[in-house]
Amino acid sequence: MSTDPNAKYQSPLTSRYASPEMAANFSNNKRFGTWRRLWYNLAAAEKELGLPGISDTALKQMHANLDTIDYAVADAEEKKRRHDVMAHVHAFGIAAPEAAGIIHLGATSCFVTDNADLIIFRDAMDLLINKLVCVISALSQFAETHRALPTLGFTHFQPAQLTTVGKRATLWVQELLWDLRNMQRARDDLGFRGVKGTTGTQASFLALFAGDHEKVEQLDALVTEMSGFSECYPVCGQTYSRKIDVDFMAPLASFGATAHRIATDIRLLANLKEIEEPFERDQIGSSAMAYKRNPMRSERICSLARHLMILIGDVLQTASVQWLERTLDDSANRRISIPEACLTADIVLTTLQNVVEGLVVYPKVIERRIRSELPFMATENFIMAMVKKGGDRQECHEQIRVLSHEAAAVVKQEGGDNDLIERVRACAYFAPIRDDLDELLNPATFIGRAPQQVDSFVAKHVAPALEPYKHIIESKKPAELSV
């Protein structure tokens, strides 16, 4: 069998896209090292509460070998026993021989598997939150920079009333703020499975402590605290409820929808040549069409976001089919779906930060598009101005209607420019407002309160939301993509 890593399938999530820190969080070293820490915490807590047979030497040996995992020993044992937890109990016992007889004492497999998952999931969400606040910060700065730059609005992807580039960006930021709220809440809601035994009754620990219920409760609380949690779930079966996985994954799926929407908007604007994602000096857009500047980063976000959005289906189905105290049909699915969701969200966030930090705006292109559409939008202003000068509203409306249709025919049938303004200037009927036309066509008069809305939104909503993460934002580095 070839040892060449390129001779077998590798997940693109880790081999091509994911950050080193998120890949490490779901590595074997993190998983099995966490198992060993849990076994150490359990033994230390049992000893502290007076359980005999656990020596200081045993604890020292365990502590000294938390990360020195002999995978060859563990793999050979798992192949023989078909049980990953007992394989690692065996490997840990070889590394810490004085503790071999008390490792996993009173515990079931889910003591290490479920509790380790909760630790790993919490750490993963911390990584994601730290990246999300950097995206929000960068995009908010973009919104403030372009708070007053008029741009054509679109409804149904058809020209609509003007907005500003910055105001449009606040629509994206608002959804990301909701994602931040949801992720932080999911992270803070994560509890610890604790020390519950095979079916959640703590019978084995009650036997170890000779029927002392108070000692068992103290053990549960002590191991929970030693493992970095303030509380554990009050009741469980063999596993913690798989509904917890749903609560954990839902914010990630929701963020996937946000990211897809933002990246899609950028792709549409790139087609209009109004805004572009960063394009590096030596980057190639197409192998055939050398002139192309494809929005490949935004396209990657959309592609991965679709995968992120559907993964919640796995945990929903798993939660719904857990029988009684537990079934094992959750295990293989969870090993794939939940790490993939975190890895995918990590990749999307890194890519989104890279895009947002390098967005390029083309004001002249935006201005040209406004000029082509604004004359039609300004017609209501023309009517109001004529009425103020003594004109009849209905007659003015008819004059504008006729001229607008003539100008539209030039655009649609002849491929010419919108000449409505020239027609209005040349029309004797509109002589009373001829000198006012330039001001009536000033784009800044069509954007309403957009700049003020940006200012208010950033000050009242973005700044307070980001304040707890100020130290993270201040120390952030530019998002670099490997490919």
Side-chain angles (χ1 to χ4, degrees):
M1 179 80 63
S2 173
T3 58
D4 179 3
N6 294 303
K8 62 180 181 180
Y9 174 78
Q10 301 178 61
S11 171
L13 292 177
T14 50
S15 66
R16 186 172 174 85
Y17 298 128
S19 66
E21 57 269 23
M22 187 61 81
N25 189 59
F26 286 96
S27 67
N28 284 340
N29 287 345
K30 175 67 176 281
R31 179 176 178 82
F32 299 126
T34 303
W35 285 12
R36 290 193 173 188
R37 284 165 174 78
L38 288 165
W39 279 320
Y40 174 82
N41 290 346
L42 177 62
E46 288 173 336
K47 178 178 173 57
E48 182 176 331
L49 292 172
L51 193 68
I54 303 175
S55 67
D56 290 338
T57 301
L59 292 177
K60 288 179 181 178
Q61 288 184 358
M62 292 175 75
H63 193 269
N65 288 279
L66 294 177
D67 297 306
T68 55
I69 301 169
D70 190 331
Y71 286 103
V73 169
D75 292 347
E77 189 70 11
E78 183 175 1
K79 185 173 183 179
K80 180 168 63 174
R81 304 297 183 186
R82 302 296 180 189
H83 200 290
D84 56 350
V85 173
M86 289 309 298
H88 279 269
V89 167
H90 175 75
F92 200 13
I94 292 176
E98 288 295 320
I102 56 92
I103 295 172
H104 202 64
L105 184 59
T108 187
S109 296
C110 287
F111 168 71
V112 287
T113 57
D114 273 31
N115 283 323
D117 280 348
L118 291 164
I119 291 169
I120 291 168
F121 296 167
R122 186 180 62 179
D123 291 348
M125 193 64 88
D126 283 339
L127 291 172
L128 295 176
I129 289 170
N130 289 352
K131 293 192 173 189
L132 177 56
V133 296
C134 291
V135 172
I136 293 172
S137 175
L139 194 52
S140 297
Q141 291 173 19
F142 176 86
E144 289 181 293
T145 298
H146 302 287
R147 58 185 287 281
L149 178 59
T151 189
L152 193 64
F154 289 92
T155 57
H156 315 276
F157 201 42
Q158 300 299 313
Q161 289 295 322
L162 268 59
T163 182
T164 68
V165 172
K167 170 60 192 305
R168 177 179 284 146
T170 64
L171 303 181
W172 304 334
V173 175
Q174 180 170 246
E175 295 189 8
L176 291 171
L177 286 177
W178 292 332
D179 293 320
L180 175 60
R181 174 202 62 191
N182 295 341
M183 287 188 192
Q184 188 65 62
R185 184 161 55 198
R187 187 264 182 219
D188 293 343
D189 282 350
L190 282 175
F192 197 60
R193 177 191 176 274
V195 178
K196 297 296 195 293
T198 54
T199 58
T201 66
Q202 298 178 308
S204 58
F205 296 105
L206 189 63
L208 283 175
F209 285 100
D212 190 332
H213 290 268
E214 185 177 349
K215 282 284 182 69
V216 175
E217 290 185 4
Q218 290 174 348
L219 179 69
D220 203 1
L222 184 55
V223 174
T224 297
E225 181 182 353
M226 293 172 69
S227 301
F229 286 80
S230 59
E231 62 180 12
C232 62
Y233 298 117
V235 295
C236 68
Q238 187 172 93
T239 69
Y240 69 78
S241 169
R242 295 313 185 212
K243 192 170 180 65
I244 299 300
D245 294 343
V246 177
D247 291 346
F248 177 80
M249 291 273 279
L252 304 186
S254 181
F255 164 69
T258 301
H260 198 293
R261 180 267 171 98
I262 294 172
T264 299
D265 282 355
I266 293 172
R267 292 165 67 188
L268 291 171
L269 293 170
N271 175 262
L272 299 177
K273 297 181 175 59
E274 293 188 1
I275 289 179
E276 285 184 346
E277 64 179 39
F279 195 90
E280 296 166 13
R281 182 174 179 273
D282 295 324
Q283 183 174 331
I284 295 174
S286 168
S287 62
M289 295 168 280
Y291 60 88
K292 294 197 74 179
R293 294 169 64 97
N294 298 333
M296 52 81 66
R297 292 169 172 84
S298 297
E299 290 173 315
R300 179 183 298 171
I301 291 170
C302 290
S303 181
L304 291 169
R306 290 201 303 272
H307 181 58
L308 178 57
M309 285 187 281
I310 68 167
L311 287 171
I312 193 173
D314 279 354
V315 293
L316 283 167
Q317 293 187 55
T318 296
S320 72
V321 298
Q322 290 302 287
W323 299 351
L324 306 174
E325 278 64 52
R326 108 52 76 96
T327 56
L328 193 59
D329 61 352
D330 64 335
S331 179
N333 187 293
R334 293 176 71 252
R335 288 174 190 254
I336 299 170
S337 59
I338 302 177
E340 282 202 357
C342 295
L343 288 162
T344 304
D346 171 73
I347 300 160
V348 170
L349 277 166
T350 300
T351 311
L352 187 58
Q353 182 184 339
N354 178 269
V355 168
V356 168
E357 290 177 341
L359 279 177
V360 180
V361 179
Y362 294 104
K364 292 299 182 181
V365 177
I366 294 173
E367 181 183 337
R368 184 172 68 243
R369 181 158 287 106
I370 290 174
R371 287 201 306 268
S372 70
E373 298 290 344
L374 191 59
F376 293 134
M377 297 177 188
T379 54
E380 184 69 16
N381 287 11
F382 297 168
I383 293 173
M384 294 300 101
M386 281 294 295
V387 171
K388 288 180 181 179
K389 294 289 181 74
D392 179 273
R393 191 267 176 197
Q394 312 312 330
E395 183 181 357
C396 185
H397 183 278
E398 177 61 18
Q399 292 282 344
I400 286 289
R401 185 190 70 82
V402 172
L403 295 178
S404 295
H405 286 199
E406 291 174 352
V410 171
V411 173
K412 295 178 180 179
Q413 297 174 19
E414 300 176 18
D417 293 331
N418 187 338
D419 63 356
L420 176 60
I421 302 306
E422 287 70 22
R423 291 176 184 274
V424 171
R425 289 186 193 278
C427 180
Y429 178 81
F430 289 103
I433 64 168
R434 192 169 291 149
D435 293 338
D436 302 326
L437 288 178
D438 288 341
E439 181 58 28
L440 291 172
L441 287 166
N442 182 358
T445 66
F446 288 81
I447 60 175
R449 297 190 62 254
Q452 291 73 27
Q453 286 180 334
V454 173
D455 296 340
S456 176
F457 175 69
V458 172
K460 295 180 180 179
H461 298 277
V462 179
L466 294 184
E467 180 61 30
Y469 313 96
K470 186 177 180 180
H471 63 290
I472 296 168
I473 296 169
E474 289 177 346
S475 61
K476 77 179 179 76
K477 298 178 181 178
E480 299 288 344
L481 303 182
S482 58
V483 290

